[in-house]
Amino acid sequence: MTSMNLLAAPIAIVVHGGAGSAQLPQPAREEAQRQVLERALKAGHGLLAQGASAVDAVEAAIVVMEDSPLFNAGRGSVFTAEGTIEMDASIMEGAGRSAGAVGGVTTVKNPIRAARAVMDRSPHVMMVGRGAEAWAQRNGLEMAPLEYFRTPERLRELEEWKARTRPGKSRSGGGVSDHWGTVGAVALDRNGTLAAGTSTGGMTGKLPGRLGDSPIIGAGTFADNRACAISCTGHGEFFIRHGVASDIAARMRYLQQPLKQAARVVVQEVLLPAGGRGAVIGLDAKGNIAVEFNTPAMARGSIDCDGKLTTSVLGR
Ligand code: ASP
């Protein structure tokens, strides 16, 4: 590290590729997932090192994971109960607290880019369904046909889900899969600005039209320079009901809890007793990192303020 770097303001990035998994990934798959996490981290960190904004870094990191069929976002998204694919994404920056989100999009190749476009180019924060698609197309975003998103593995997971769900039993929210794979990123740029983003296909077997926490600012994604940037993954209904991402930030601001403590309390002492399984990644304005999960495993990685890169798709 040069003396220039020592003097420069800290930069850092953290990504996740979902939590859950009763069965741990096969070694070959584990390695493949770690490689994608590493590419995502390097894409985001490379931009931060050149002085780009945290929002640019978050978007770039998430695009890498959306383009990989190994994660449940963009290509490789999970199926609804009706065999459709409906994707959600959101992004937020912590200086001016601008935010953008899309829900239930089916043909936008990179939903995180659409969320970014909503933030930058529309008067709104959240757009859903056909209106969001049409708007994305009009704004020049790349579109893709259903075949691009669907993978044999996700089809197999849908079949397994159907087999697990008893005939006649409501399929809404029941029998959700054990392995999730939503992606997210949080970043800190040289100006001291934080950003967070999350992108997902949701949960296997969800009802068409269901939105999870991932596109909801304050639930699945939140960024505020006065506290932290947070991206969540897990059983979305619980993350919405507990306002998880904004609760962590509020604990930091009002209770003066450090990031790690706030994340641990919310994931282990609020969510878990309520039955909410999942994980969060977080970053504060000093570059402190939090990774907290109450599931057996979580795919995550970071490049910290010292430039140290780590990835893991296992448990602790
Ligand atoms: N939170 C996402 C949702 O409920 C799923 C996930 O994180 O895996 O849609």
Side-chain angles (χ1 to χ4, degrees):
M1 186 181 276
T2 66
S3 54
M4 273 293 285
N5 284 339
L6 283 171
L7 291 175
I11 55 172
I13 183 163
V14 190
V15 299
H16 71 77
S21 203
Q23 82 249 40
L24 292 173
Q26 307 297 319
R29 185 181 171 84
E30 177 190 329
E31 185 46 37
Q33 283 188 334
R34 288 181 60 157
Q35 281 176 16
V36 179
L37 294 173
E38 189 167 327
R39 272 199 288 121
L41 286 167
K42 286 181 172 165
H45 194 266
L47 287 172
L48 293 172
Q50 289 163 28
S53 70
V55 167
D56 283 343
V58 161
E59 180 182 344
I62 290 179
V63 164
V64 170
M65 296 184 282
E66 285 181 337
D67 287 347
S68 163
L70 297 177
F71 296 99
N72 169 23
R75 183 161 175 241
S77 285
V78 299
F79 287 94
T80 69
E82 311 282 320
T84 54
I85 287 180
E86 299 180 1
M87 298 167 287
D88 308 329
S90 64
I91 196 161
M92 183 172 188
E93 65 84 37
R97 296 178 35 146
S98 39
V102 291
V105 294
T106 58
T107 56
V108 180
K109 179 170 174 275
N110 291 108
I112 196 67
R113 288 207 197 284
R116 173 80 189 268
V118 169
M119 175 171 103
D120 287 351
R121 295 187 237 159
S122 88
H124 306 306
V125 167
M126 189 175 205
M127 296 180 71
V128 301
R130 286 221 303 271
E133 309 258 349
W135 185 86
Q137 196 157 16
R138 277 203 307 279
N139 277 272
L141 293 182
E142 193 174 348
M143 313 301 277
L146 176 61
E147 301 74 61
Y148 167 79
F149 299 100
R150 54 194 293 162
T151 61
E153 188 181 349
R154 298 302 184 200
L155 266 178
R156 186 178 48 71
E157 286 174 12
L158 179 64
E159 294 312 317
E160 284 170 10
W161 173 82
K162 283 181 179 164
R164 276 206 313 272
T165 313
R166 277 182 282 118
K169 189 180 156 198
S170 164
R171 285 179 168 172
S172 58
V176 290
S177 65
D178 293 331
H179 30 277
W180 297 320
T182 289
V183 306
V186 292
L188 170 67
D189 67 28
R190 289 244 189 268
N191 291 326
T193 287
L194 292 162
T198 311
S199 180
T200 189
M203 299 179 87
T204 302
K206 69 181 182 182
L207 289 175
R210 174 262 190 190
L211 294 178
D213 59 314
S214 309
I216 297 180
I217 297 301
T221 301
F222 196 67
D224 181 345
N225 282 2
R226 295 169 298 179
C228 58
I230 300 287
S231 171
C232 302
T233 178
H235 196 151
E237 281 70 11
F238 291 86
F239 283 70
I240 296 172
R241 288 199 286 255
H242 291 277
V244 165
S246 59
D247 188 18
I248 294 171
R251 283 166 188 276
M252 292 179 68
R253 289 188 59 209
Y254 305 142
L255 299 178
Q256 275 76 53
Q257 291 181 349
L259 171 65
K260 264 186 207 273
Q261 182 189 357
R264 186 183 49 71
V265 169
V266 173
V267 172
Q268 311 296 356
E269 295 174 21
V270 177
L271 267 184
L272 189 58
R277 306 302 301 271
V280 305
I281 54 171
L283 198 54
D284 71 14
K286 294 200 174 97
N288 293 308
I289 290 171
V291 174
E292 194 67 44
F293 52 106
N294 62 28
T295 49
M298 177 185 186
R300 75 276 189 189
S302 59
I303 300 181
D304 67 15
C305 293
D306 298 325
K308 184 165 165 256
L309 183 149
T310 49
T311 58
S312 173
V313 296
L314 303 174
R316 303 238 158 243

